[in-house]
Amino acid sequence: MPVPSSSNAVSPNASMPAGDFVLVLDCPDRPGIVHAVSAFLLEHGGNILESQQFGDVDTGRFFMRIDFVTAGPTLVEQLRADFVEIAARFQMRYELWDAEAPYRTLIMVSKHLHCLNDLLFRHSTGALQIDIPVVVSNHPDAEALVRSYGLDFAHVPVTPETKPAAEAELLRLVKEHDVDLVVLARYMQVLSDDLCRELSGRAINIHHSFLPSFKGAKPYHQAYDRGVKLVGATAHYVTGDLDEGPIIEQDVIRVDHNHTREQLVAAGRDVEAQVLSRAVRWHSESRVLLNGHRTVVFR
Ligand SMILES: Nc1nc2c(c(=O)[nH]1)N[C@@H](CN(C=O)c1ccc(C(=O)N[C@@H](CCC(=O)O)C(=O)O)cc1)CN2
């Protein structure tokens, strides 16, 4: 559960204003977890705005997300330091960060721009808690759209020969811009295992089918040939196993025998854009916790 790099930034108003924070954790399930966490918040003047939890009976793990405010001056670093003892006692994985800190998000795209366009518009209206330092593409097609939003664009062509150098350039941009999240908004190149390991848990892809059906580069053609009555989209974390990463969000739309291949593609576009934008919003609000090869989503 990576935290936004900007959450480490001490609030500009050095007088340490009251804060809004989010705590996410998972640990072996046992009695007393909620009691210990709520006592910690009380001791630190915290008031809970939203709390969600889930116990997975199969894995025996407990998951929790708490959004809380503090009346008095509070530094996130102090909260993190004070929480270490509880985390150790319950063997927790946890993150605690400033709830308003934007996720620094690098978006990747190829030639289909509808998901990128949706993300850029939602970002421009403040509907997504992200900063977008750069958009990267293996084609020049998206440049005009990206620059129309006043954002930076990097054209990084990919051929089988240049793929290692292209991926090295992507990682250089990730590090240069202190990126918290990489979004594959219809980026049509398969990322290498090494790159997937570097971006583990912080790269989200939109696949244009209702997984596990129709994996690969041309799912709508497969769907048409199969004669399906629903087409959909799946947002998932990117792993080395193509289209197999932990699923964050899915949705479908009804189609029928009248739909041509092209009309299936058109029907699916809106579903793809909405599913990806929801997944990016939930990840940027730390509402998505990894649970093995699955996810817990506190919507
Ligand atoms: N390591 C991963 N990389 C990528 C994933 C993933 O799940 N793991 N998802 C894809 C997106 N995608 C389906 O959602 C997808 C994209 C591309 C291909 C593919 O076969 N691409 C060919 C080239 C196609 C072209 O040039 O147009 C290839 O890379 O040889 C399959 C699935 C993004 N990356």
Side-chain angles (χ1 to χ4, degrees), residues 61-77:
R61 285 197 76 79
F62 178 81
F63 300 82
M64 191 173 193
R65 178 186 187 274
I66 298 180
D67 184 348
F68 64 97
V69 292
T70 55
T74 308
L75 267 181
V76 69
E77 293 79 1

PDB file of all heavy atoms in Angstrom, residues 61-77:
ATOM      1  N   ARG A  61      -6.921 -13.087   7.679  1.00  0.00           N
ATOM      2  CA  ARG A  61      -6.360 -11.735   7.787  1.00  0.00           C
ATOM      3  C   ARG A  61      -7.480 -10.713   7.970  1.00  0.00           C
ATOM      4  O   ARG A  61      -8.609 -10.895   7.476  1.00  0.00           O
ATOM      5  CB  ARG A  61      -5.522 -11.374   6.558  1.00  0.00           C
ATOM      6  CG  ARG A  61      -4.154 -12.072   6.568  1.00  0.00           C
ATOM      7  CD  ARG A  61      -3.174 -11.416   5.602  1.00  0.00           C
ATOM      8  NE  ARG A  61      -2.628 -10.149   6.082  1.00  0.00           N
ATOM      9  CZ  ARG A  61      -1.628 -10.032   6.979  1.00  0.00           C
ATOM     10  NH1 ARG A  61      -1.124 -11.127   7.510  1.00  0.00           N
ATOM     11  NH2 ARG A  61      -1.154  -8.849   7.341  1.00  0.00           N
ATOM     12  N   PHE A  62      -7.133  -9.640   8.681  1.00  0.00           N
ATOM     13  CA  PHE A  62      -8.074  -8.562   8.987  1.00  0.00           C
ATOM     14  C   PHE A  62      -7.627  -7.315   8.262  1.00  0.00           C
ATOM     15  O   PHE A  62      -6.420  -7.011   8.198  1.00  0.00           O
ATOM     16  CB  PHE A  62      -8.079  -8.311  10.498  1.00  0.00           C
ATOM     17  CG  PHE A  62      -8.980  -7.195  10.941  1.00  0.00           C
ATOM     18  CD1 PHE A  62     -10.347  -7.413  11.089  1.00  0.00           C
ATOM     19  CD2 PHE A  62      -8.465  -5.932  11.221  1.00  0.00           C
ATOM     20  CE1 PHE A  62     -11.179  -6.379  11.504  1.00  0.00           C
ATOM     21  CE2 PHE A  62      -9.298  -4.901  11.635  1.00  0.00           C
ATOM     22  CZ  PHE A  62     -10.654  -5.128  11.781  1.00  0.00           C
ATOM     23  N   PHE A  63      -8.566  -6.577   7.659  1.00  0.00           N
ATOM     24  CA  PHE A  63      -8.274  -5.374   6.877  1.00  0.00           C
ATOM     25  C   PHE A  63      -9.098  -4.214   7.428  1.00  0.00           C
ATOM     26  O   PHE A  63     -10.263  -4.406   7.805  1.00  0.00           O
ATOM     27  CB  PHE A  63      -8.635  -5.603   5.409  1.00  0.00           C
ATOM     28  CG  PHE A  63      -7.876  -6.730   4.764  1.00  0.00           C
ATOM     29  CD1 PHE A  63      -8.274  -8.044   4.926  1.00  0.00           C
ATOM     30  CD2 PHE A  63      -6.738  -6.459   4.027  1.00  0.00           C
ATOM     31  CE1 PHE A  63      -7.555  -9.084   4.364  1.00  0.00           C
ATOM     32  CE2 PHE A  63      -6.007  -7.483   3.442  1.00  0.00           C
ATOM     33  CZ  PHE A  63      -6.421  -8.813   3.618  1.00  0.00           C
ATOM     34  N   MET A  64      -8.485  -3.023   7.461  1.00  0.00           N
ATOM     35  CA  MET A  64      -9.195  -1.882   8.041  1.00  0.00           C
ATOM     36  C   MET A  64      -8.738  -0.587   7.389  1.00  0.00           C
ATOM     37  O   MET A  64      -7.566  -0.455   7.014  1.00  0.00           O
ATOM     38  CB  MET A  64      -8.920  -1.822   9.544  1.00  0.00           C
ATOM     39  CG  MET A  64      -9.786  -0.865  10.313  1.00  0.00           C
ATOM     40  SD  MET A  64      -9.486  -1.044  12.079  1.00  0.00           S
ATOM     41  CE  MET A  64     -10.899  -0.123  12.718  1.00  0.00           C
ATOM     42  N   ARG A  65      -9.704   0.330   7.219  1.00  0.00           N
ATOM     43  CA  ARG A  65      -9.397   1.676   6.734  1.00  0.00           C
ATOM     44  C   ARG A  65     -10.164   2.658   7.609  1.00  0.00           C
ATOM     45  O   ARG A  65     -11.374   2.528   7.806  1.00  0.00           O
ATOM     46  CB  ARG A  65      -9.811   1.859   5.270  1.00  0.00           C
ATOM     47  CG  ARG A  65      -9.548   3.275   4.733  1.00  0.00           C
ATOM     48  CD  ARG A  65     -10.120   3.450   3.332  1.00  0.00           C
ATOM     49  NE  ARG A  65      -9.739   4.731   2.759  1.00  0.00           N
ATOM     50  CZ  ARG A  65     -10.422   5.867   2.956  1.00  0.00           C
ATOM     51  NH1 ARG A  65     -11.506   5.881   3.732  1.00  0.00           N
ATOM     52  NH2 ARG A  65     -10.036   7.008   2.390  1.00  0.00           N
ATOM     53  N   ILE A  66      -9.448   3.634   8.156  1.00  0.00           N
ATOM     54  CA  ILE A  66     -10.081   4.647   9.010  1.00  0.00           C
ATOM     55  C   ILE A  66      -9.687   6.028   8.502  1.00  0.00           C
ATOM     56  O   ILE A  66      -8.503   6.311   8.308  1.00  0.00           O
ATOM     57  CB  ILE A  66      -9.651   4.505  10.488  1.00  0.00           C
ATOM     58  CG1 ILE A  66     -10.080   3.163  11.058  1.00  0.00           C
ATOM     59  CG2 ILE A  66     -10.244   5.631  11.328  1.00  0.00           C
ATOM     60  CD1 ILE A  66      -9.688   2.979  12.519  1.00  0.00           C
ATOM     61  N   ASP A  67     -10.690   6.865   8.295  1.00  0.00           N
ATOM     62  CA  ASP A  67     -10.456   8.272   7.959  1.00  0.00           C
ATOM     63  C   ASP A  67     -10.793   9.052   9.221  1.00  0.00           C
ATOM     64  O   ASP A  67     -11.901   8.937   9.735  1.00  0.00           O
ATOM     65  CB  ASP A  67     -11.381   8.693   6.805  1.00  0.00           C
ATOM     66  CG  ASP A  67     -11.119  10.131   6.344  1.00  0.00           C
ATOM     67  OD1 ASP A  67     -10.402  10.857   7.060  1.00  0.00           O
ATOM     68  OD2 ASP A  67     -11.639  10.510   5.275  1.00  0.00           O
ATOM     69  N   PHE A  68      -9.805   9.800   9.762  1.00  0.00           N
ATOM     70  CA  PHE A  68     -10.054  10.499  11.026  1.00  0.00           C
ATOM     71  C   PHE A  68      -9.469  11.902  10.995  1.00  0.00           C
ATOM     72  O   PHE A  68      -8.544  12.175  10.215  1.00  0.00           O
ATOM     73  CB  PHE A  68      -9.474   9.720  12.205  1.00  0.00           C
ATOM     74  CG  PHE A  68      -7.974   9.583  12.194  1.00  0.00           C
ATOM     75  CD1 PHE A  68      -7.172  10.449  12.924  1.00  0.00           C
ATOM     76  CD2 PHE A  68      -7.365   8.571  11.445  1.00  0.00           C
ATOM     77  CE1 PHE A  68      -5.779  10.320  12.916  1.00  0.00           C
ATOM     78  CE2 PHE A  68      -5.981   8.435  11.425  1.00  0.00           C
ATOM     79  CZ  PHE A  68      -5.180   9.313  12.169  1.00  0.00           C
ATOM     80  N   VAL A  69     -10.022  12.767  11.797  1.00  0.00           N
ATOM     81  CA  VAL A  69      -9.495  14.129  11.914  1.00  0.00           C
ATOM     82  C   VAL A  69      -8.999  14.342  13.335  1.00  0.00           C
ATOM     83  O   VAL A  69      -9.439  13.669  14.267  1.00  0.00           O
ATOM     84  CB  VAL A  69     -10.569  15.189  11.576  1.00  0.00           C
ATOM     85  CG1 VAL A  69     -10.933  15.144  10.098  1.00  0.00           C
ATOM     86  CG2 VAL A  69     -11.808  14.994  12.453  1.00  0.00           C
ATOM     87  N   THR A  70      -8.062  15.261  13.444  1.00  0.00           N
ATOM     88  CA  THR A  70      -7.577  15.639  14.772  1.00  0.00           C
ATOM     89  C   THR A  70      -7.918  17.102  14.995  1.00  0.00           C
ATOM     90  O   THR A  70      -7.786  17.923  14.081  1.00  0.00           O
ATOM     91  CB  THR A  70      -6.041  15.462  14.864  1.00  0.00           C
ATOM     92  OG1 THR A  70      -5.447  16.222  13.796  1.00  0.00           O
ATOM     93  CG2 THR A  70      -5.665  13.995  14.711  1.00  0.00           C
ATOM     94  N   ALA A  71      -8.389  17.414  16.167  1.00  0.00           N
ATOM     95  CA  ALA A  71      -8.779  18.801  16.463  1.00  0.00           C
ATOM     96  C   ALA A  71      -7.528  19.665  16.583  1.00  0.00           C
ATOM     97  O   ALA A  71      -7.441  20.744  16.038  1.00  0.00           O
ATOM     98  CB  ALA A  71      -9.575  18.828  17.765  1.00  0.00           C
ATOM     99  N   GLY A  72      -6.506  19.084  17.251  1.00  0.00           N
ATOM    100  CA  GLY A  72      -5.317  19.910  17.530  1.00  0.00           C
ATOM    101  C   GLY A  72      -4.261  19.740  16.460  1.00  0.00           C
ATOM    102  O   GLY A  72      -4.417  18.963  15.522  1.00  0.00           O
ATOM    103  N   PRO A  73      -3.169  20.485  16.617  1.00  0.00           N
ATOM    104  CA  PRO A  73      -2.052  20.408  15.657  1.00  0.00           C
ATOM    105  C   PRO A  73      -1.450  19.003  15.658  1.00  0.00           C
ATOM    106  O   PRO A  73      -1.135  18.451  16.716  1.00  0.00           O
ATOM    107  CB  PRO A  73      -1.053  21.437  16.165  1.00  0.00           C
ATOM    108  CG  PRO A  73      -1.422  21.665  17.599  1.00  0.00           C
ATOM    109  CD  PRO A  73      -2.890  21.422  17.713  1.00  0.00           C
ATOM    110  N   THR A  74      -1.310  18.389  14.473  1.00  0.00           N
ATOM    111  CA  THR A  74      -0.818  17.016  14.405  1.00  0.00           C
ATOM    112  C   THR A  74       0.092  16.843  13.197  1.00  0.00           C
ATOM    113  O   THR A  74      -0.243  17.295  12.103  1.00  0.00           O
ATOM    114  CB  THR A  74      -2.009  16.052  14.246  1.00  0.00           C
ATOM    115  OG1 THR A  74      -2.956  16.331  15.278  1.00  0.00           O
ATOM    116  CG2 THR A  74      -1.551  14.609  14.336  1.00  0.00           C
ATOM    117  N   LEU A  75       1.241  16.192  13.426  1.00  0.00           N
ATOM    118  CA  LEU A  75       2.143  15.889  12.316  1.00  0.00           C
ATOM    119  C   LEU A  75       1.997  14.413  11.958  1.00  0.00           C
ATOM    120  O   LEU A  75       2.020  13.559  12.852  1.00  0.00           O
ATOM    121  CB  LEU A  75       3.594  16.158  12.720  1.00  0.00           C
ATOM    122  CG  LEU A  75       4.167  17.530  12.401  1.00  0.00           C
ATOM    123  CD1 LEU A  75       5.622  17.622  12.847  1.00  0.00           C
ATOM    124  CD2 LEU A  75       4.050  17.839  10.914  1.00  0.00           C
ATOM    125  N   VAL A  76       1.881  14.111  10.656  1.00  0.00           N
ATOM    126  CA  VAL A  76       1.686  12.710  10.254  1.00  0.00           C
ATOM    127  C   VAL A  76       2.869  11.862  10.691  1.00  0.00           C
ATOM    128  O   VAL A  76       2.703  10.700  11.086  1.00  0.00           O
ATOM    129  CB  VAL A  76       1.446  12.626   8.726  1.00  0.00           C
ATOM    130  CG1 VAL A  76       2.712  12.977   7.965  1.00  0.00           C
ATOM    131  CG2 VAL A  76       0.889  11.282   8.338  1.00  0.00           C
ATOM    132  N   GLU A  77       4.064  12.461  10.669  1.00  0.00           N
ATOM    133  CA  GLU A  77       5.243  11.685  11.073  1.00  0.00           C
ATOM    134  C   GLU A  77       5.115  11.240  12.529  1.00  0.00           C
ATOM    135  O   GLU A  77       5.485  10.129  12.898  1.00  0.00           O
ATOM    136  CB  GLU A  77       6.525  12.516  10.909  1.00  0.00           C
ATOM    137  CG  GLU A  77       6.886  12.845   9.478  1.00  0.00           C
ATOM    138  CD  GLU A  77       6.060  14.000   8.943  1.00  0.00           C
ATOM    139  OE1 GLU A  77       5.233  14.547   9.704  1.00  0.00           O
ATOM    140  OE2 GLU A  77       6.217  14.337   7.772  1.00  0.00           O
TER     141      GLU A  77
END
